Amino acid sequence: MLRLKNVRKVFQAGTVNEKVALAAINLEIPAGDFVTIIGSNGAGKSTLLNVIAGVYPVDAGRIYLDDQDVTGWAEHVRARLMGRVFQDPLLGTAASMTIEENLAMALRRGEKRRLRKGITAAERALFRERLAELGLGLENRLNDRVRLLSGGQRQALTLLMATLKKPQLLLLDEHTAALDPKTGEKVLDLTIRLVEEHRLTTLMVTHNLHQALRAGNRTLMMDEGQIILDVRDAERQRTTVHDLLALFEKRGVYSDKLLLANAP
Amino acid sequence: MLAFVGFLVSPLEQGLIYGMMALGVYLSFRVLNYADLTVDGSLPLGAAITASMIVAGHDPWLATLLAVLGGAVAGTATGLLHTQLRITPLLSGILTMTALYSINLRVMGRSNIPLLRADTIFNQAAALGLGERGASLILAAGTAALLIFLLYLFLETELGLAVRATGDNEQMIKSLGVNTDTTKVLGLALSNALVALSGSYVAQYQHFADVGMGIGTIIAGLASVIIGEVLFGSSSVWRALVAVVGGSFFYRLVIALVLWMGLQPTDLKLMTALLVVLALASPQLKQRLRLGASGS
């Protein structure tokens, strides 16, 4: 379970460019929840994920994961508990290294790296099996450098890497946004499958309102560093893209990116 | 024919000995993606430690080992300047290099130590019945081969993979729970340990240590790495490592050739710089030539 208590984050505090990215966020996400997060540009969605991942420290408040206070933990220490996929497909993998080397590093997420063999034969078999489940033919390309893969393939691989060692929390930061629509849908299908299969507690930021309502069991809407909507289960099922757009309009939020992503 | 073979021996020995330095530069420049200028100071540091210990009557192997440790400390210093004080990679290397100039003078007590008739690892190997020429070649080749092998093994370990990923995609390996400050310091320590080992061998091979012998080390290292990549490729870690030492041999061969053709030794650094510029620019030049040829 993830719990945020009065989490606040301000960028460039004390200057004319001061920006309250997160204003006293209180949030409880029980284990097994798959939460989608929407909001206009600058609403604080990515900041929320980055603060949870420990990319930057909070200005106030506490963050708990499974009743451990992780607020003071460095990014690489929190990685023990979290799997992450970024928007840019280039960010999640090491391009000059092979598929199996990338997977081997992901399998040891959060563990101390020693002078042991980097990949064992048993692990190779596991990689082949898990890659085959992606249905992209990557199981026969273990020794190919990741540089040779397409954006969609790389994002699928990153997703596999983030879940290879079961994380307490999976953080997806607009991980389909940089892909073409068809590939994006495929990667989302894969996401839904992996999350269900491993019963992962998941936070997914997206600009795509269809995707936000299609995936997961709960949706948050953010605006100006606050959570302005939190619907789950039955109530979420009744919510439509139209309702969400109406809510955006009511808040006076106007975003080109949002409108483009959700054009009828 | 025999004369030609004779002509090859010296560049081969030098290529192998300086190849250890090039392996160090490969580790920082290519693996860690860190342009580390410490090497201009850690090569003479290795030579200085070795020479002053040998002159003081210590065992040359012990002197070599201490040189390696000294190099590792120098690399660690650069790594800490960068990771703890957030000084840029380039500047942190320059700072350590500059500091090492004074330190090397302190270690040696003067600017030059001759090792004529001193007990070196090469003399000891020759005494085993290998003959003087054979001893240098076998010792240099054996050490270079051993280092390539060990480095290959290391780069395939869990830790080695983490170091490689640090140079490739720092964000990614951080999100997989690796402290990249640690992997950077480790990589730089290893890199400069190799460079200092090379410096130690150079001093014993040429029978002197000089405080100025490190000038241009980084350029010679880069030249070797790049020439190796162009000539032998870098399709696997294994191949890349062999290519670095191969490139180092080729680089020394070119130097021997131009000296034989009558170039002044003082012009060597200029020639090396031009060689590196040419190698670095070759992808660009190729592209432009192709564009020109297609008539656009």
Side-chain angles (χ1 to χ4, degrees):
Chain A
M1 179 168 99
L2 172 74
R3 203 146 52 89
L4 275 72
K5 249 178 88 179
N6 282 316
V7 168
R8 182 177 166 82
K9 179 72 197 171
V10 183
F11 289 114
Q12 305 187 40
T15 72
V16 282
N17 293 321
E18 181 172 297
K19 163 94 183 136
V20 180
L22 296 175
I25 295 279
N26 283 292
L27 181 62
E28 241 179 65
I29 297 177
D33 257 16
F34 182 169
V35 183
T36 59
I37 306 174
I38 53 174
S40 60
N41 300 337
K45 311 177 300 287
S46 287
T47 307
L48 181 67
L49 250 60
N50 283 332
V51 157
I52 294 170
V55 177
Y56 14 77
V58 298
D59 294 322
R62 313 299 304 177
I63 300 171
Y64 304 89
L65 191 57
D66 292 337
D67 292 318
Q68 291 179 92
D69 186 342
V70 301
T71 318
W73 293 20
E75 185 181 354
H76 69 268
V77 181
R78 289 191 212 187
R80 208 175 291 161
L81 307 172
M82 303 174 191
R84 287 159 72 193
V85 183
F86 312 100
Q87 176 174 356
D88 184 348
L90 304 182
L91 276 185
T93 43
S96 69
M97 299 173 74
T98 64
I99 293 179
E100 63 173 16
E101 285 170 342
N102 273 278
L103 286 166
M105 289 189 285
L107 192 61
R108 289 165 181 72
R109 179 168 46 76
E111 288 173 21
K112 195 165 163 46
R113 318 283 160 142
R114 299 171 199 279
L115 285 175
R116 280 187 304 224
K117 213 169 167 192
I119 312 168
T120 66
E123 285 166 0
R124 228 167 242 136
L126 170 76
F127 298 160
R128 208 164 271 140
E129 187 185 312
R130 299 298 303 275
L131 283 168
E133 291 168 18
L134 298 182
L136 297 169
L138 295 181
E139 64 275 16
N140 302 317
R141 300 175 62 184
L142 281 182
N143 284 311
D144 273 9
R145 294 195 184 188
V146 170
R147 177 180 295 133
L148 301 171
L149 306 188
S150 70
Q153 286 173 327
R154 278 180 85 158
Q155 210 61 329
L157 179 63
T158 310
L159 206 50
L160 180 58
M161 285 166 62
T163 55
L164 197 56
K165 181 182 175 194
K166 188 179 173 182
Q168 301 297 100
L169 186 65
L170 178 62
L171 300 174
L172 309 170
D173 192 357
E174 295 195 49
H175 69 307
T176 63
L179 308 172
D180 66 79
K182 208 173 128 209
T183 313
E185 287 298 309
K186 271 193 190 159
V187 169
L188 184 68
D189 286 338
L190 176 68
T191 309
I192 294 171
R193 211 176 77 211
L194 284 171
V195 168
E196 280 178 358
E197 203 177 301
H198 302 284
R199 301 182 181 285
L200 301 172
T201 313
T202 305
L203 282 177
M204 178 177 107
V205 169
T206 178
H207 265 104
N208 187 315
L209 302 184
H210 296 278
Q211 286 194 354
L213 292 177
R214 180 156 89 84
N217 65 318
R218 180 176 174 189
T219 297
L220 304 180
M221 186 187 284
M222 290 187 71
D223 187 35
E224 294 185 342
Q226 288 177 316
I227 296 169
I228 58 165
L229 177 79
D230 183 353
V231 288
R232 58 178 303 139
D233 303 324
E235 194 189 355
R236 220 275 307 251
Q237 272 173 18
R238 286 194 300 272
T239 312
T240 63
V241 170
H242 187 76
D243 295 337
L244 296 178
L245 279 172
L247 194 58
F248 273 117
E249 223 160 290
K250 195 172 123 202
R251 299 283 301 195
V253 175
Y254 187 80
S255 155
D256 294 345
K257 201 168 163 191
L258 201 66
L259 285 178
L260 275 175
N262 300 290
Chain B
M1 184 61 203
L2 207 61
F4 181 64
V5 172
F7 180 78
L8 281 182
V9 170
S10 183
L12 185 57
E13 287 171 353
Q14 288 180 15
L16 290 164
I17 292 173
Y18 281 104
M20 306 172 198
M21 174 276 287
L23 285 172
V25 171
Y26 171 77
L27 199 55
S28 57
F29 186 69
R30 276 293 185 243
V31 175
L32 269 185
N33 195 16
Y34 192 113
D36 178 27
L37 296 192
T38 314
V39 296
D40 272 32
S42 54
L43 185 109
L45 175 67
I49 292 175
T50 303
S52 37
M53 280 189 69
I54 288 178
V55 167
H58 293 284
D59 180 72
W61 286 104
L62 179 67
T64 308
L65 181 70
L66 261 141
V68 172
L69 291 179
V73 172
T76 304
T78 302
L80 291 178
L81 286 178
H82 172 58
T83 58
Q84 302 308 307
L85 304 180
R86 302 285 156 209
I87 298 171
T88 61
L90 209 56
L91 195 54
S92 49
I94 292 173
L95 285 167
T96 311
M97 177 191 82
T98 308
L100 279 173
Y101 189 82
S102 300
I103 291 171
N104 292 341
L105 278 170
R106 283 260 175 204
V107 169
M108 296 204 288
R110 51 198 153 129
S111 59
N112 189 305
I113 297 182
L115 288 174
L116 294 165
R117 274 185 287 284
D119 196 20
T120 68
I121 54 173
F122 293 105
N123 293 352
Q124 289 202 352
L128 292 175
L130 297 170
E132 197 148 328
R133 263 267 107 105
S136 332
L137 197 57
I138 289 171
L139 198 52
T143 312
L146 182 69
L147 289 178
I148 289 178
F149 180 64
L150 290 177
L151 212 47
Y152 170 73
L153 285 184
F154 170 71
L155 290 174
E156 300 275 307
T157 62
E158 294 176 355
L159 198 55
L161 288 180
V163 170
R164 285 164 61 196
T166 302
D168 183 302
N169 187 342
E170 191 172 347
Q171 170 74 67
M172 169 258 192
I173 195 66
K174 242 192 228 171
S175 79
L176 294 179
V178 170
N179 185 347
T180 50
D181 287 353
T182 314
T183 47
K184 281 183 195 169
V185 173
L186 174 71
L188 290 172
L190 266 180
S191 161
N192 283 286
L194 285 166
V195 175
L197 174 64
S198 173
S200 166
Y201 269 55
V202 170
Q204 298 180 69
Y205 174 77
Q206 66 184 19
H207 299 291
F208 73 88
D210 185 279
V211 74
M213 67 193 273
I215 298 169
T217 300
I218 184 69
I219 293 298
L222 286 181
S224 306
V225 168
I226 296 165
I227 292 172
E229 279 169 0
V230 171
L231 290 184
F232 307 101
S234 56
S235 54
S236 67
V237 174
W238 184 241
R239 189 164 178 162
L241 291 173
V242 174
V244 168
V245 178
S248 173
F249 163 58
F250 196 79
Y251 170 68
R252 298 292 154 183
L253 188 64
V254 171
I255 288 183
L257 272 174
V258 294
L259 286 178
W260 175 73
M261 291 185 326
L263 193 83
Q264 293 294 315
T266 44
D267 291 333
L268 272 182
K269 302 274 186 233
L270 173 66
M271 198 212 67
T272 305
L274 290 176
L275 194 67
V276 172
V277 168
L278 197 68
L280 281 173
S282 66
Q284 277 288 323
L285 293 175
K286 248 189 243 168
Q287 204 175 6
R288 282 191 200 179
L289 282 176
R290 210 173 299 138
L291 280 178
S294 67
S296 55

